[in-house]
């Protein structure tokens, strides 16, 4: 079984451009979580989604960031008008929604803003 | 709010040494506790978990016991190997909900020959 698939693995954007990060959860998982990891720091929660719904977006910056998890297709984390401070590794995790199931993580997308 | 505090790294040990990485937590509810490991350039992998007080999680020689009285979940291994070099993250999740994981800042372990 394939795990959580994230693409691209590496993404380079110039300041002001848009970044789109994709996440395909483990087959059968309906819950997706996005985290951001700055260099030499821990993981900061951004957003938690179920199919077509945002459940918890308490960690999302108020501007420029958005996330979706449509009925069909991968979850997308979108960053508009990127700035250098957005450079980080972005990790997606999924779970089946069972209350005590662990989260399964992808290998991340490393965004570099030049 | 919920939070996890880990000992700062890096932790440098010789092969076959004993490992302890301290983790304490603060939670508004009754949490499940987890240790994840991150190898260079990769995502996080679940190492072990415990869902209630006095439970011991174990995997690959690593152990951690859920201590409610001290709100701790310290990671231990009796004899580390070079291949254990990685970053270790302690995390909590409020039990009974499909909510987010809250992570500590991570502890880097470097094992040398």
């Amino acid at each position: 079984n394939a795990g959580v698939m994230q693409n691209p693995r590496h993404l380079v954007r110039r300041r002001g451009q848009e970044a789109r990060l994709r996440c395909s959860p483990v087959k059968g998982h309906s819950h997706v979580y996005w985290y951001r990891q700055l260099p030499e720091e821990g993981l900061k929660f951004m957003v938690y989604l179920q199919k077509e719904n945002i459940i918890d977006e308490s960690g999302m910056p108020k501007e420029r960031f958005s996330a979706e998890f449509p009925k069909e297709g991968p979850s997308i984390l979108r960053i508009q008008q990127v700035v250098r401070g957005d450079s980080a590794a972005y990790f997606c995790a999924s779970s089946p929604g069972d209350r005590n199931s662990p989260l399964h993580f992808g290998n991340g997308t490393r965004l570099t803003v030049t | 709010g919920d939070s996890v505090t880990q000992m700062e790294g890096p932790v440098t040990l010789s092969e076959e040494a004993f490992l302890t990485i301290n983790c304490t937590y603060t939670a508004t509810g009754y949490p499940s506790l987890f240790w994840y490991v991150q190898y260079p350039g990769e995502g996080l992998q679940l190492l072990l978990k415990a869902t209630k007080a006095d439970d011991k999680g174990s995997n690959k020689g690593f152990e951690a016991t859920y201590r409610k009285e001290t709100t701790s979940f310290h990671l231990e291994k009796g004899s580390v190997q070079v291949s254990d070099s990685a970053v270790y993250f302690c995390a909590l999740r409020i039990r009974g909900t499909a909510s987010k994981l809250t992570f500590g800042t991570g502890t880097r372990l470097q094992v040398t020959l």
Side-chain angles (χ1 to χ4, degrees), chain B residues 14-87:
Chain B
S14 298
E15 200 170 42
E16 299 183 2
F18 184 85
L19 168 71
T20 300
I21 300 178
N22 290 340
C23 170
T24 57
Y25 67 89
T26 303
T28 53
Y30 190 172
S32 294
L33 302 172
F34 303 84
W35 277 99
Y36 279 80
V37 58
Q38 184 181 32
Y39 298 101
E42 298 184 9
L44 276 71
Q45 302 173 26
L46 177 67
L47 182 59
L48 53 85
K49 69 174 184 178
T51 58
K52 62 183 187 296
D54 300 323
D55 269 2
K56 178 185 283 187
S58 62
N59 185 28
K60 299 181 181 179
F62 291 89
E63 293 182 341
T65 300
Y66 190 144
R67 301 287 187 201
K68 189 177 179 183
E69 63 275 14
T70 54
T71 61
S72 65
F73 193 53
H74 305 320
L75 182 68
E76 296 181 336
K77 187 175 185 182
S79 177
V80 293
Q81 305 299 312
V82 172
S83 57
D84 294 326
S85 298
V87 181

Side-chain angles (χ1 to χ4, degrees), chain A residues 9 31 33 35 37 40-43 45 48 56 58 91 95 97-103 105-107 110, chain B residues 32 34 36 38 41-44 46 49 51 89 93 95-106 108:
Chain A
R9 285 298 306 272
H31 297 238
Y33 308 76
Y35 286 81
Q37 184 178 34
E40 301 303 318
E41 292 189 16
L43 279 81
F45 168 76
Y48 162 35
D56 180 353
S58 58
F91 290 95
S95 82
D98 172 63
R99 293 176 173 182
N100 287 316
S101 293
L103 272 58
F105 281 81
N107 284 336
R110 281 152 183 81
Chain B
S32 294
F34 303 84
Y36 279 80
Q38 184 181 32
E42 298 184 9
L44 276 71
L46 177 67
K49 69 174 184 178
T51 58
F89 292 93
R93 191 181 196 191
R95 197 161 68 95
T97 70
S99 62
K100 63 182 184 283
L101 278 171
T102 298
F103 285 92
T105 54
R108 181 177 299 278

